Amino acid sequence: MKLDELIELMREQNILYLLSVLSIAMVIDFVSGVLAAKMHQEILSKKGINGIIRKVASMILLVFFLPVALIIPGKTGIVLLSVLYIGYLLMEIQSILENYQKMGISITLFQTFLEHLYELLKKKE
């Protein structure tokens, strides 16, 4: 496959959009974590730096798998990459909800939605 065909395949499968949503979720998670820590006077530069390093390392790893997914024959690599991104996005959403809970925001509606989403994903497997 040519490079432009591979890029078109990624576009068709919305991988880049999924990666963008994941990036936004990471930023929201970090900001909500900082706000939750500030509300409880638990802001530590060491925790903040570790959080930033983990987010950057995760993003490097997730971007690394873009060309790797294209090497795998057929659309199998794209499907595997989509599953990885969706799984990581669900973990980020869970972390955001935990941060909101620490801030005293009710998350019962979101937890119900997330539980239904997990069940839906299990049925598709």
Side-chain angles (χ1 to χ4, degrees):
M1 285 183 122
K2 295 180 182 175
L3 182 60
D4 56 337
E5 292 173 350
L6 295 174
I7 292 172
E8 186 60 33
L9 178 64
M10 282 192 294
R11 231 181 248 140
E12 285 176 14
Q13 301 300 319
N14 295 324
I15 293 295
L16 299 179
Y17 299 116
L18 191 54
L19 185 61
S20 300
V21 170
L22 187 53
S23 300
I24 292 167
M26 285 179 159
V27 170
I28 293 171
D29 180 38
F30 181 76
V31 170
S32 64
V34 169
L35 290 174
K38 190 172 186 175
M39 288 179 76
H40 294 283
Q41 272 90 44
E42 296 174 351
I43 289 188
L44 300 171
S45 60
K46 185 177 181 179
K47 278 188 174 182
I49 295 295
N50 286 339
I52 291 171
I53 290 172
R54 276 189 277 127
K55 297 290 181 196
V56 169
S58 296
M59 189 51 71
I60 289 171
L61 185 67
L62 293 170
V63 170
F64 168 78
F65 281 112
L66 278 170
V68 172
L70 298 175
I71 294 171
I72 299 173
K75 292 187 178 184
T76 307
I78 298 296
V79 170
L80 291 172
L81 190 63
S82 297
V83 169
L84 175 69
Y85 284 2
I86 290 170
Y88 205 90
L89 181 61
L90 290 174
M91 289 186 340
E92 287 294 325
I93 291 171
Q94 183 67 37
S95 180
I96 291 168
L97 292 177
E98 288 171 3
N99 290 335
Y100 285 170
Q101 194 172 25
K102 289 176 187 175
M103 288 188 278
I105 299 172
S106 175
I107 60 167
T108 52
L109 176 67
F110 297 111
Q111 279 183 320
T112 305
F113 171 74
L114 210 59
E115 288 170 5
H116 288 297
L117 191 58
Y118 280 131
E119 289 175 17
L120 180 67
L121 288 173
K122 283 182 183 179
K123 287 180 184 177
K124 283 189 176 185
E125 292 176 358

